[in-house]
Amino acid sequence: SFNQVHIGSSLKFITAIGNNESSASTLELQLLEAYAYSHERDQVLNNNVQILDDNLVLFTAPLVSQDTLQGIWSLTKKKSSIVLDF
């Protein structure tokens, strides 16, 4: 769950307003832009999984409140810890 962040994990919220850009990676900002683009066109926003490299996975989930994209949750996790968490 997003409430439990373990060693080898990084959880952050990236706002659509853009005040978290210093802590967001280039890929996270691109995904935020893609979510915003889809939201503006009334498309369904789904959670996303990206394989970053042999060791890391990026999970993103949009947060929409009152029909406004507030931002995305971004969880980076080691692949090995995903198996251990289950």
Side-chain angles (χ1 to χ4, degrees), residues 7-26:
I7 296 172
S9 300
S10 169
L11 176 66
K12 54 188 160 181
F13 185 73
I14 302 164
T15 65
I17 298 168
N19 61 359
N20 290 353
E21 290 185 14
S22 62
S23 68
S25 72
T26 301

PDB file of all heavy atoms in Angstrom, residues 7-26:
ATOM      1  N   ILE A   7      12.596   0.349   3.108  1.00  0.00           N
ATOM      2  CA  ILE A   7      13.949   0.627   2.643  1.00  0.00           C
ATOM      3  C   ILE A   7      14.025   0.272   1.164  1.00  0.00           C
ATOM      4  O   ILE A   7      13.520  -0.745   0.724  1.00  0.00           O
ATOM      5  CB  ILE A   7      14.970  -0.176   3.468  1.00  0.00           C
ATOM      6  CG1 ILE A   7      14.939   0.291   4.923  1.00  0.00           C
ATOM      7  CG2 ILE A   7      16.372  -0.046   2.891  1.00  0.00           C
ATOM      8  CD1 ILE A   7      15.763  -0.542   5.856  1.00  0.00           C
ATOM      9  N   GLY A   8      14.674   1.119   0.401  1.00  0.00           N
ATOM     10  CA  GLY A   8      14.758   0.893  -1.037  1.00  0.00           C
ATOM     11  C   GLY A   8      13.579   1.472  -1.794  1.00  0.00           C
ATOM     12  O   GLY A   8      13.427   1.235  -2.972  1.00  0.00           O
ATOM     13  N   SER A   9      12.753   2.262  -1.098  1.00  0.00           N
ATOM     14  CA  SER A   9      11.571   2.869  -1.720  1.00  0.00           C
ATOM     15  C   SER A   9      11.600   4.376  -1.534  1.00  0.00           C
ATOM     16  O   SER A   9      12.186   4.883  -0.584  1.00  0.00           O
ATOM     17  CB  SER A   9      10.292   2.333  -1.079  1.00  0.00           C
ATOM     18  OG  SER A   9      10.202   0.949  -1.245  1.00  0.00           O
ATOM     19  N   SER A  10      10.940   5.064  -2.443  1.00  0.00           N
ATOM     20  CA  SER A  10      10.814   6.511  -2.349  1.00  0.00           C
ATOM     21  C   SER A  10       9.385   6.876  -2.730  1.00  0.00           C
ATOM     22  O   SER A  10       8.931   6.524  -3.815  1.00  0.00           O
ATOM     23  CB  SER A  10      11.804   7.176  -3.298  1.00  0.00           C
ATOM     24  OG  SER A  10      11.529   8.554  -3.422  1.00  0.00           O
ATOM     25  N   LEU A  11       8.694   7.566  -1.842  1.00  0.00           N
ATOM     26  CA  LEU A  11       7.321   7.992  -2.105  1.00  0.00           C
ATOM     27  C   LEU A  11       7.270   9.508  -2.059  1.00  0.00           C
ATOM     28  O   LEU A  11       7.779  10.127  -1.126  1.00  0.00           O
ATOM     29  CB  LEU A  11       6.366   7.409  -1.058  1.00  0.00           C
ATOM     30  CG  LEU A  11       4.912   7.853  -1.152  1.00  0.00           C
ATOM     31  CD1 LEU A  11       4.271   7.330  -2.431  1.00  0.00           C
ATOM     32  CD2 LEU A  11       4.137   7.386   0.066  1.00  0.00           C
ATOM     33  N   LYS A  12       6.666  10.103  -3.091  1.00  0.00           N
ATOM     34  CA  LYS A  12       6.496  11.556  -3.076  1.00  0.00           C
ATOM     35  C   LYS A  12       5.226  11.930  -3.829  1.00  0.00           C
ATOM     36  O   LYS A  12       4.723  11.162  -4.647  1.00  0.00           O
ATOM     37  CB  LYS A  12       7.713  12.275  -3.644  1.00  0.00           C
ATOM     38  CG  LYS A  12       8.141  11.848  -5.012  1.00  0.00           C
ATOM     39  CD  LYS A  12       9.474  12.511  -5.359  1.00  0.00           C
ATOM     40  CE  LYS A  12      10.155  11.750  -6.474  1.00  0.00           C
ATOM     41  NZ  LYS A  12      11.428  12.311  -6.838  1.00  0.00           N
ATOM     42  N   PHE A  13       4.725  13.109  -3.504  1.00  0.00           N
ATOM     43  CA  PHE A  13       3.575  13.657  -4.210  1.00  0.00           C
ATOM     44  C   PHE A  13       4.061  14.823  -5.052  1.00  0.00           C
ATOM     45  O   PHE A  13       4.711  15.736  -4.555  1.00  0.00           O
ATOM     46  CB  PHE A  13       2.494  14.123  -3.228  1.00  0.00           C
ATOM     47  CG  PHE A  13       1.249  14.580  -3.934  1.00  0.00           C
ATOM     48  CD1 PHE A  13       0.405  13.659  -4.524  1.00  0.00           C
ATOM     49  CD2 PHE A  13       0.940  15.923  -4.018  1.00  0.00           C
ATOM     50  CE1 PHE A  13      -0.742  14.065  -5.204  1.00  0.00           C
ATOM     51  CE2 PHE A  13      -0.201  16.340  -4.689  1.00  0.00           C
ATOM     52  CZ  PHE A  13      -1.044  15.411  -5.276  1.00  0.00           C
ATOM     53  N   ILE A  14       3.754  14.783  -6.338  1.00  0.00           N
ATOM     54  CA  ILE A  14       4.168  15.823  -7.267  1.00  0.00           C
ATOM     55  C   ILE A  14       2.918  16.576  -7.676  1.00  0.00           C
ATOM     56  O   ILE A  14       2.002  16.001  -8.266  1.00  0.00           O
ATOM     57  CB  ILE A  14       4.880  15.212  -8.487  1.00  0.00           C
ATOM     58  CG1 ILE A  14       6.084  14.401  -8.009  1.00  0.00           C
ATOM     59  CG2 ILE A  14       5.288  16.290  -9.473  1.00  0.00           C
ATOM     60  CD1 ILE A  14       6.636  13.450  -9.014  1.00  0.00           C
ATOM     61  N   THR A  15       2.872  17.854  -7.327  1.00  0.00           N
ATOM     62  CA  THR A  15       1.653  18.625  -7.567  1.00  0.00           C
ATOM     63  C   THR A  15       1.564  19.089  -9.005  1.00  0.00           C
ATOM     64  O   THR A  15       2.567  19.313  -9.678  1.00  0.00           O
ATOM     65  CB  THR A  15       1.587  19.863  -6.646  1.00  0.00           C
ATOM     66  OG1 THR A  15       2.662  20.740  -6.982  1.00  0.00           O
ATOM     67  CG2 THR A  15       1.658  19.478  -5.189  1.00  0.00           C
ATOM     68  N   ALA A  16       0.345  19.237  -9.452  1.00  0.00           N
ATOM     69  CA  ALA A  16       0.097  19.738 -10.799  1.00  0.00           C
ATOM     70  C   ALA A  16       0.435  21.219 -10.896  1.00  0.00           C
ATOM     71  O   ALA A  16       0.660  21.738 -11.980  1.00  0.00           O
ATOM     72  CB  ALA A  16      -1.352  19.482 -11.187  1.00  0.00           C
ATOM     73  N   ILE A  17       0.509  21.885  -9.755  1.00  0.00           N
ATOM     74  CA  ILE A  17       0.817  23.319  -9.735  1.00  0.00           C
ATOM     75  C   ILE A  17       2.277  23.552 -10.131  1.00  0.00           C
ATOM     76  O   ILE A  17       2.625  24.559 -10.693  1.00  0.00           O
ATOM     77  CB  ILE A  17       0.540  23.914  -8.334  1.00  0.00           C
ATOM     78  CG1 ILE A  17      -0.945  23.754  -8.004  1.00  0.00           C
ATOM     79  CG2 ILE A  17       0.958  25.360  -8.249  1.00  0.00           C
ATOM     80  CD1 ILE A  17      -1.293  24.038  -6.570  1.00  0.00           C
ATOM     81  N   GLY A  18       3.133  22.576  -9.828  1.00  0.00           N
ATOM     82  CA  GLY A  18       4.519  22.672 -10.260  1.00  0.00           C
ATOM     83  C   GLY A  18       5.498  23.124  -9.197  1.00  0.00           C
ATOM     84  O   GLY A  18       6.640  23.424  -9.508  1.00  0.00           O
ATOM     85  N   ASN A  19       5.088  23.155  -7.931  1.00  0.00           N
ATOM     86  CA  ASN A  19       6.022  23.621  -6.905  1.00  0.00           C
ATOM     87  C   ASN A  19       6.943  22.517  -6.385  1.00  0.00           C
ATOM     88  O   ASN A  19       7.774  22.775  -5.537  1.00  0.00           O
ATOM     89  CB  ASN A  19       5.268  24.290  -5.743  1.00  0.00           C
ATOM     90  CG  ASN A  19       4.309  23.352  -5.045  1.00  0.00           C
ATOM     91  OD1 ASN A  19       4.177  22.194  -5.422  1.00  0.00           O
ATOM     92  ND2 ASN A  19       3.628  23.860  -4.036  1.00  0.00           N
ATOM     93  N   ASN A  20       6.837  21.305  -6.893  1.00  0.00           N
ATOM     94  CA  ASN A  20       7.702  20.203  -6.465  1.00  0.00           C
ATOM     95  C   ASN A  20       8.697  19.821  -7.548  1.00  0.00           C
ATOM     96  O   ASN A  20       9.303  18.770  -7.477  1.00  0.00           O
ATOM     97  CB  ASN A  20       6.865  18.953  -6.122  1.00  0.00           C
ATOM     98  CG  ASN A  20       6.060  19.152  -4.861  1.00  0.00           C
ATOM     99  OD1 ASN A  20       6.199  20.140  -4.177  1.00  0.00           O
ATOM    100  ND2 ASN A  20       5.207  18.200  -4.568  1.00  0.00           N
ATOM    101  N   GLU A  21       8.874  20.667  -8.544  1.00  0.00           N
ATOM    102  CA  GLU A  21       9.701  20.301  -9.677  1.00  0.00           C
ATOM    103  C   GLU A  21      11.132  19.978  -9.295  1.00  0.00           C
ATOM    104  O   GLU A  21      11.788  19.180  -9.940  1.00  0.00           O
ATOM    105  CB  GLU A  21       9.660  21.389 -10.743  1.00  0.00           C
ATOM    106  CG  GLU A  21       8.312  21.459 -11.435  1.00  0.00           C
ATOM    107  CD  GLU A  21       8.270  22.452 -12.569  1.00  0.00           C
ATOM    108  OE1 GLU A  21       9.342  22.898 -13.011  1.00  0.00           O
ATOM    109  OE2 GLU A  21       7.165  22.778 -13.003  1.00  0.00           O
ATOM    110  N   SER A  22      11.645  20.574  -8.222  1.00  0.00           N
ATOM    111  CA  SER A  22      13.032  20.313  -7.845  1.00  0.00           C
ATOM    112  C   SER A  22      13.234  18.879  -7.370  1.00  0.00           C
ATOM    113  O   SER A  22      14.313  18.318  -7.526  1.00  0.00           O
ATOM    114  CB  SER A  22      13.481  21.295  -6.760  1.00  0.00           C
ATOM    115  OG  SER A  22      12.689  21.124  -5.608  1.00  0.00           O
ATOM    116  N   SER A  23      12.196  18.274  -6.794  1.00  0.00           N
ATOM    117  CA  SER A  23      12.321  16.904  -6.303  1.00  0.00           C
ATOM    118  C   SER A  23      11.816  15.866  -7.298  1.00  0.00           C
ATOM    119  O   SER A  23      11.992  14.676  -7.091  1.00  0.00           O
ATOM    120  CB  SER A  23      11.578  16.747  -4.970  1.00  0.00           C
ATOM    121  OG  SER A  23      10.185  16.875  -5.189  1.00  0.00           O
ATOM    122  N   ALA A  24      11.209  16.316  -8.371  1.00  0.00           N
ATOM    123  CA  ALA A  24      10.651  15.394  -9.361  1.00  0.00           C
ATOM    124  C   ALA A  24      11.690  15.094 -10.443  1.00  0.00           C
ATOM    125  O   ALA A  24      12.426  15.981 -10.874  1.00  0.00           O
ATOM    126  CB  ALA A  24       9.408  15.988  -9.996  1.00  0.00           C
ATOM    127  N   SER A  25      11.704  13.847 -10.871  1.00  0.00           N
ATOM    128  CA  SER A  25      12.592  13.461 -11.966  1.00  0.00           C
ATOM    129  C   SER A  25      11.992  13.919 -13.290  1.00  0.00           C
ATOM    130  O   SER A  25      10.806  14.272 -13.372  1.00  0.00           O
ATOM    131  CB  SER A  25      12.794  11.946 -11.985  1.00  0.00           C
ATOM    132  OG  SER A  25      11.613  11.300 -12.427  1.00  0.00           O
ATOM    133  N   THR A  26      12.794  13.888 -14.332  1.00  0.00           N
ATOM    134  CA  THR A  26      12.316  14.239 -15.668  1.00  0.00           C
ATOM    135  C   THR A  26      11.155  13.332 -16.075  1.00  0.00           C
ATOM    136  O   THR A  26      10.146  13.803 -16.596  1.00  0.00           O
ATOM    137  CB  THR A  26      13.459  14.133 -16.695  1.00  0.00           C
ATOM    138  OG1 THR A  26      14.514  15.014 -16.300  1.00  0.00           O
ATOM    139  CG2 THR A  26      12.990  14.487 -18.086  1.00  0.00           C
TER     140      THR A  26
END
